[in-house]
Amino acid sequence: MNYRFSNRVGTFTSSAVREILKLTQSSNVISFAGGLPAEEHFPVKAIGEAFERVLAGGNRALQYGLTEGYTPLREKICEWMASKGITVTPDDMLLTTGSQQAIDLLTRVYIDAGDVILVEKPTYLSALQVFRSYGAQIVSVDGDEDGLDTADLEAKLKQYRPKLVYVIPTFSNPTGKAWSVERRKAVLKLCREHEALILEDNPYGELKFGDASVTYPSIFSLDEHPKGSGVVYTSTFSKTAAPALRTGWVMGDPEIIRHMTRVKQAADLHSSSLDQQTLYQLMAHFDLEGHIEFVRKEYEARMRQMAEQLQKQQWPGVKWNEPKGGMFFWLELPEAVDTAELMKTAVGFGVAFVPGVSFFADDAAKKNMLRLNFTHNDFAGTIEGFERLNRAMETVLVKQ
Amino acid sequence: MNYRFSNRVGTFTSSAVREILKLTQSSNVISFAGGLPAEEHFPVKAIGEAFERVLAGGNRALQYGLTEGYTPLREKICEWMASKGITVTPDDMLLTTGSQQAIDLLTRVYIDAGDVILVEKPTYLSALQVFRSYGAQIVSVDGDEDGLDTADLEAKLKQYRPKLVYVIPTFSNPTGKAWSVERRKAVLKLCREHEALILEDNPYGELKFGDASVTYPSIFSLDEHPKGSGVVYTSTFSKTAAPALRTGWVMGDPEIIRHMTRVKQAADLHSSSLDQQTLYQLMAHFDLEGHIEFVRKEYEARMRQMAEQLQKQQWPGVKWNEPKGGMFFWLELPEAVDTAELMKTAVGFGVAFVPGVSFFADDAAKKNMLRLNFTHNDFAGTIEGFERLNRAMETVLVKQ
């Protein structure tokens, strides 16, 4: 049988995230690769009780649900968003299989082959994969610690007339940086002027470190056009409750949400309604805010411990900034080092990370960066992992 | 903000299934529309116990999982398939968010705009939606009670060189018919000769009525080429365990499955692993075969009761066959009746069905058919629903 695959399968040459998730299944490897939350802090008991409540509510709980998602959960998320100063209604919202599906569905309703999408440099690798699979032309925009470079953004808005601008302004994956409020406003203004829709991906917003009085308003909340919104916002419970619940949400103009809902109907009818109902019961009967605060503190402690480890190693020519939140350190190595090659050495020593090249669109690829997750391993694991990582580093840093 | 949607949103003008699912939420309407299982027979207690077992297994249960799906469940499904004479390994299998997602993912890896897909006349409406959204040219093939018409199939294989042939050979949605073994073999042979991949959709195979000694082997199992398989097979637990678990699976050549897995990674990373783990525990500790046999008998009784109701009404010019399994009666009304119009009248009387036109590709649309589900309503509901349906029917059948 000669198979005749579609042209788009050619865009899936790399499958870095999948390989990463596989590495985490091996017990011999200490993985700093995946963006995994700490398992030991999952609210297992509360999730068990929430599930019991779902089933106690009657057999209907096990029937097909709405494509839009379980209505009481959408209402609950609206309440939660309101407590953070964001006003939305359940009609502006679609529940998805993680925020990954929100990225896919928006791309599906908005991007034809050849359309331009602007992205950060670097940015989330699996978003790049989605964009490529729809034949988008991906163009990288320069940036600094405060966010996208507005001069470069303006030039590229004019040159390419992009349909979409994809950003992770709060605790970026992979860099851990947080955009300033001024930059958020400036980027929003520019994108509105050029009618480029912003996709604001915010999986990590709740995981903020440092001075509690510093806040980072979402670009969505800064947009003063609730009708004809210039921003589509997506987030997830994967990092704050549990990944296995696979529940994300996406908010935006009702016209956009309606199109995404129709596409989702064809894609999978609806996401797991058991998961959605369980999350609803969890939010209704468990102190999720308190739990998030507990996790946030724990992650901040783990971040500081990894920062100490990084300082201690004194690897020559290796640069990094302390992340302001989220899950990752982003390391720059001397230019001659190819971290994809280093990764092979590292796995030999029993430790894993993500080579940085995966986080760049083709027009901006850099080979000497890598990403380290600090949330998944406990203190002992991190120390042991750094000993192994150090042995891998020595093989390339000595060679300089 | 002027939105610039992708061209493919234009293919989503209809959203029949979504509207159907919405109708079922209203308590005033007796719905024969959706393909809903009987809620009162969901194994709620067993699912609760299965979930407890999942959580008792440790916090890891709530972590991210593999894109391919929970390995022990894939192994369990392989065992289950083996008991039905189908040999597959976990590497030939991908777990999906219902079999709907399997249809979407296969189309995504196999179909470019303009490629031809052959379908039955009529066929599953949400598969048509998926095919349209990828810009496929959909061509309908004639058929009879035994399956696709091989002469018409051969002519169209030659004329269009289709990449894909989509069929529901066992208890078709919407017609309830089952293909003969001879026809299955003939269709497989023809498709192999013309290198057209068969997508065999089998959500209803377990729901077989009548003579227990009559069996319907899947086309997948008749294919003697385990490597270079000419058939991709998908099924789901939605009709036999519970729809809310949203777990389907797809089996086929490892090369196809590998491509689908990469596309799924971009689409949603993985489906709910809590659902998958719960299903695994359900299959390991609950008599799922026994439960399916119980449900099968109940559905056969409901089918016979609806057949009685249909006989009793003696609607002039209305024809139907008794379904051999599955969930649906398929009615042909006099040619002048537009069932989409009739549906509006029917909803006014508090009863719903699916107008038949949604089940036809554009090249074969017929307006005088409708689909009735017999599995969801209990006896009293069906009798009351038929009284209402009769009032709606009288408004069009009298007018002839």
Side-chain angles (χ1 to χ4, degrees):
Chain A
M1 187 84 185
N2 285 311
Y3 298 120
R4 291 178 274 165
F5 291 103
S6 66
N7 293 326
R8 70 180 69 80
V9 304
T11 68
F12 287 93
T13 46
S14 126
S15 57
V17 162
R18 198 161 62 92
E19 297 311 315
I20 290 160
L21 290 175
K22 276 191 177 168
L23 281 179
T24 65
Q25 308 273 317
S26 157
S27 55
N28 300 322
V29 171
I30 293 179
S31 179
F32 299 124
L36 304 188
E39 280 153 32
E40 58 272 40
H41 300 313
F42 289 149
V44 179
K45 188 163 161 284
I47 287 175
E49 287 165 3
F51 192 84
E52 269 177 42
R53 282 202 172 86
V54 170
L55 292 191
N59 291 24
R60 186 97 193 217
L62 292 171
Q63 190 54 279
Y64 280 106
L66 293 177
T67 303
E68 292 86 335
Y70 186 55
T71 306
L73 179 58
R74 281 184 290 141
E75 288 165 354
K76 207 80 191 162
I77 296 172
C78 288
E79 281 173 33
W80 202 47
M81 290 284 98
S83 77
K84 296 168 197 305
I86 300 179
T87 309
V88 280
T89 75
D91 288 341
D92 310 326
M93 186 182 292
L94 172 66
L95 301 186
T96 52
T97 306
S99 51
Q100 183 70 33
Q101 191 182 40
I103 298 171
D104 183 61
L105 295 175
L106 181 65
T107 311
R108 207 153 159 175
V109 303
Y110 218 70
I111 297 298
D112 289 309
D115 287 343
V116 173
I117 302 177
L118 301 186
V119 300
E120 293 175 272
K121 183 191 319 190
T123 191
Y124 174 47
L125 62 91
S126 290
L128 293 174
Q129 258 192 345
V130 173
F131 300 154
R132 283 189 194 112
S133 79
Y134 288 97
Q137 184 188 348
I138 306 171
V139 176
S140 303
V141 179
D142 288 335
D144 57 24
E145 273 306 295
D146 286 330
L148 282 183
D149 179 305
T150 49
D152 194 41
L153 174 64
E154 185 164 19
K156 283 167 178 163
L157 285 167
K158 284 179 178 164
Q159 183 182 348
Y160 294 103
R161 293 192 42 71
K163 274 186 171 180
L164 200 62
V165 179
Y166 171 75
V167 294
I168 312 167
T170 309
F171 320 132
S172 153
N173 178 1
T175 68
K177 75 183 177 188
W179 295 18
S180 69
V181 178
E182 293 65 33
R183 198 64 67 83
R184 289 165 194 255
K185 286 179 180 166
V187 166
L188 175 63
K189 187 164 173 290
L190 279 170
C191 288
R192 272 216 162 265
E193 280 169 15
H194 293 83
E195 296 203 318
L197 186 66
I198 294 173
L199 172 53
E200 180 178 24
D201 190 5
N202 188 26
Y204 311 109
E206 298 292 324
L207 306 176
K208 183 168 71 84
F209 309 146
D211 186 348
S213 71
V214 179
T215 57
Y216 302 101
S218 72
I219 301 179
F220 183 87
S221 72
L222 296 171
D223 187 10
E224 287 167 6
H225 300 71
K227 297 300 164 198
S229 169
V231 187
V232 171
Y233 173 104
T234 182
S235 188
T236 177
F237 289 101
S238 293
K239 320 296 181 186
T240 49
L245 290 165
R246 289 309 291 124
T247 302
W249 72 94
V250 54
M251 318 183 299
D253 190 86
E255 189 183 357
I256 298 174
I257 296 299
R258 201 161 51 239
H259 282 302
M260 290 176 73
T261 304
R262 284 177 179 179
V263 167
K264 181 169 168 60
Q265 186 202 335
D268 64 11
L269 292 185
H270 63 82
S271 299
S272 167
S273 46
L274 269 184
D275 288 348
Q276 293 174 9
Q277 293 171 85
T278 301
L279 261 169
Y280 167 74
Q281 294 294 346
L282 194 72
M283 291 179 88
H285 296 279
F286 171 69
D287 179 14
L288 187 60
E289 285 285 0
H291 175 73
I292 291 171
E293 177 56 18
F294 167 77
V295 169
R296 196 199 59 68
K297 278 187 184 150
E298 177 68 19
Y299 288 173
E300 183 163 6
R302 290 184 179 197
M303 183 276 286
R304 296 213 182 284
Q305 190 231 8
M306 189 175 278
E308 268 171 39
Q309 288 294 312
L310 282 164
Q311 268 154 352
K312 212 174 96 182
Q313 305 299 333
Q314 302 207 315
W315 290 319
V318 176
K319 297 176 219 164
W320 49 273
N321 288 317
E322 201 173 273
K324 291 183 172 159
M327 296 190 151
F328 308 109
F329 275 92
W330 179 242
L331 272 58
E332 182 178 347
L333 276 65
E335 220 159 294
V337 178
D338 181 343
T339 55
E341 289 300 314
L342 179 63
M343 172 70 166
K344 292 175 196 162
T345 313
V347 170
F349 288 125
V351 64
F353 55 81
V354 188
V357 71
S358 312
F359 299 95
F360 292 98
D362 298 337
D363 65 354
K366 283 192 170 184
K367 291 188 169 176
N368 58 322
M369 325 289 270
L370 65 82
R371 191 191 75 175
L372 294 176
N373 165 270
F374 56 77
T375 58
H376 185 237
N377 292 288
D378 60 16
F379 286 9
T382 294
I383 287 167
E384 171 64 24
F386 261 73
E387 279 174 18
R388 299 177 187 185
L389 187 58
N390 189 44
R391 288 160 69 194
M393 285 288 199
E394 279 173 347
T395 67
V396 289
L397 297 182
V398 164
K399 281 182 192 158
Q400 295 301 308
Chain B
M1 186 86 185
N2 285 311
Y3 298 121
R4 289 178 277 165
F5 290 103
S6 66
N7 293 327
R8 70 180 68 80
V9 303
T11 68
F12 287 92
T13 47
S14 124
S15 58
V17 163
R18 198 163 61 92
E19 297 311 314
I20 289 160
L21 289 175
K22 276 192 178 167
L23 281 179
T24 66
Q25 309 273 318
S26 158
S27 56
N28 300 323
V29 172
I30 293 178
S31 179
F32 299 123
L36 303 189
E39 280 153 32
E40 59 271 40
H41 299 313
F42 288 149
V44 179
K45 188 162 163 285
I47 287 176
E49 287 165 4
F51 191 84
E52 268 176 42
R53 281 201 175 86
V54 171
L55 292 191
N59 291 24
R60 184 98 193 216
L62 293 171
Q63 189 55 278
Y64 281 105
L66 293 177
T67 303
E68 292 86 337
Y70 186 56
T71 305
L73 179 58
R74 280 183 292 140
E75 289 165 354
K76 207 80 192 163
I77 296 172
C78 288
E79 281 174 33
W80 203 49
M81 290 283 98
S83 78
K84 295 169 197 305
I86 300 179
T87 309
V88 281
T89 75
D91 288 341
D92 310 326
M93 187 182 290
L94 172 65
L95 301 185
T96 52
T97 306
S99 51
Q100 182 71 32
Q101 192 182 39
I103 299 171
D104 183 61
L105 294 175
L106 180 65
T107 311
R108 208 152 157 176
V109 303
Y110 218 71
I111 298 298
D112 289 310
D115 287 343
V116 174
I117 302 177
L118 301 187
V119 300
E120 292 175 273
K121 176 189 327 189
T123 191
Y124 175 47
L125 61 92
S126 290
L128 293 173
Q129 258 192 345
V130 173
F131 300 154
R132 284 189 194 111
S133 78
Y134 288 96
Q137 183 189 346
I138 306 171
V139 176
S140 304
V141 179
D142 289 333
D144 57 25
E145 272 306 294
D146 285 331
L148 282 184
D149 179 307
T150 49
D152 194 42
L153 174 64
E154 186 165 19
K156 282 165 179 163
L157 285 167
K158 285 179 179 166
Q159 183 182 349
Y160 294 104
R161 291 192 42 72
K163 275 187 171 179
L164 200 63
V165 179
Y166 172 75
V167 294
I168 312 167
T170 309
F171 320 133
S172 153
N173 178 0
T175 68
K177 74 182 176 189
W179 295 18
S180 68
V181 178
E182 293 66 32
R183 198 64 67 83
R184 289 164 194 255
K185 287 180 179 167
V187 166
L188 175 62
K189 187 164 173 290
L190 279 170
C191 288
R192 273 215 162 266
E193 280 169 15
H194 292 83
E195 296 204 316
L197 186 67
I198 294 174
L199 172 53
E200 179 177 24
D201 190 5
N202 187 26
Y204 311 109
E206 299 292 325
L207 306 176
K208 183 168 72 83
F209 309 146
D211 186 348
S213 72
V214 179
T215 57
Y216 302 100
S218 72
I219 301 179
F220 183 87
S221 72
L222 296 172
D223 187 10
E224 287 167 7
H225 299 71
K227 297 299 163 196
S229 170
V231 186
V232 171
Y233 173 104
T234 181
S235 188
T236 176
F237 290 102
S238 292
K239 321 296 180 186
T240 48
L245 289 165
R246 288 309 292 124
T247 301
W249 73 93
V250 55
M251 317 183 300
D253 190 86
E255 189 184 358
I256 299 175
I257 296 299
R258 201 162 53 240
H259 283 302
M260 289 176 73
T261 304
R262 284 177 180 178
V263 166
K264 180 166 169 62
Q265 185 201 337
D268 64 11
L269 292 185
H270 63 82
S271 298
S272 166
S273 45
L274 270 185
D275 288 348
Q276 293 174 10
Q277 293 171 85
T278 301
L279 261 169
Y280 167 75
Q281 294 294 347
L282 194 71
M283 291 179 88
H285 297 278
F286 171 70
D287 178 14
L288 188 59
E289 284 286 0
H291 175 73
I292 290 171
E293 177 56 18
F294 166 77
V295 168
R296 196 199 59 68
K297 279 186 184 149
E298 177 69 19
Y299 288 174
E300 183 163 5
R302 289 184 181 196
M303 183 277 284
R304 297 215 180 282
Q305 190 231 8
M306 189 175 278
E308 268 171 39
Q309 287 294 312
L310 282 164
Q311 269 154 352
K312 212 174 98 181
Q313 304 299 334
Q314 302 208 313
W315 289 319
V318 175
K319 295 176 221 164
W320 49 274
N321 288 317
E322 201 172 274
K324 291 183 173 160
M327 296 190 150
F328 307 109
F329 275 92
W330 179 242
L331 272 58
E332 182 179 347
L333 277 63
E335 220 160 295
V337 178
D338 181 343
T339 55
E341 289 300 313
L342 178 63
M343 172 70 167
K344 293 175 196 162
T345 312
V347 170
F349 287 126
V351 65
F353 55 81
V354 188
V357 72
S358 312
F359 298 94
F360 292 98
D362 298 338
D363 65 354
K366 283 192 170 183
K367 292 187 168 176
N368 59 321
M369 324 290 269
L370 65 84
R371 191 190 75 175
L372 294 176
N373 166 269
F374 58 76
T375 58
H376 186 238
N377 292 287
D378 60 15
F379 287 8
T382 295
I383 286 166
E384 171 64 25
F386 261 74
E387 278 173 18
R388 297 178 189 185
L389 188 58
N390 189 45
R391 288 160 70 194
M393 284 290 198
E394 279 173 347
T395 66
V396 289
L397 297 181
V398 163
K399 280 182 192 157
Q400 295 300 307

